[in-house]
Amino acid sequence: MPKTNFDAEREYSDDRFTARGLFKSDRMKVVCGYFEPGQFIPVHAPGSDVAVHVQSGSGLVREGETDHDVSPGDVVVVPADEKRGVKAADDERLEALLVTAPPPTDAEHDPVREGLRRAEFEP
């Protein structure tokens, strides 16, 4: 993958958060996430580790039973099989880099799809 940055990848949707895939192998997945105010990745617990680095904006990252308020420069790491979710603040966009290892399976993302369908952060 050629060099890129948040500005070049930036894409927002009124319907749900936008994930711009930068890299994927059998060992790792790298995504830029773009969230309008209040948008989220629903809470789920896949069998992969994830590191979330906030580029801009504010929101929260769920790590197990803990909600971390996040702002630019913050990093939250959530180990495999722990509940996690990401949500933009209600009044501000959020941009974050998400690095997942190994990439979650399609079945592990079923709770994400269901939460988005129901518009629920905690399905």
Side-chain angles (χ1 to χ4, degrees), residues 8-87:
E9 299 297 326
R10 186 173 288 116
E11 183 178 315
Y12 285 94
S13 168
D14 291 336
D15 298 327
R16 53 169 279 216
F17 78 96
T18 302
R20 299 282 295 169
L22 302 181
F23 176 81
K24 184 175 180 184
S25 72
D26 59 341
R27 297 181 311 267
M28 179 175 66
K29 180 179 177 183
V30 181
V31 171
C32 284
Y34 299 92
F35 302 77
E36 290 283 7
Q39 290 181 340
F40 55 84
I41 297 172
V43 174
H44 61 297
S48 55
D49 302 323
V50 67
V52 180
H53 175 261
V54 177
Q55 171 71 14
S56 66
S58 63
L60 74 83
V61 175
R62 169 78 47 89
E63 174 205 4
E65 300 301 320
T66 303
D67 285 345
H68 298 280
D69 291 325
V70 293
S71 58
D74 287 342
V75 177
V76 178
V77 178
V78 184
D81 303 316
E82 285 285 328
K83 288 193 260 181
R84 83 268 318 260
V86 178
K87 185 176 182 183

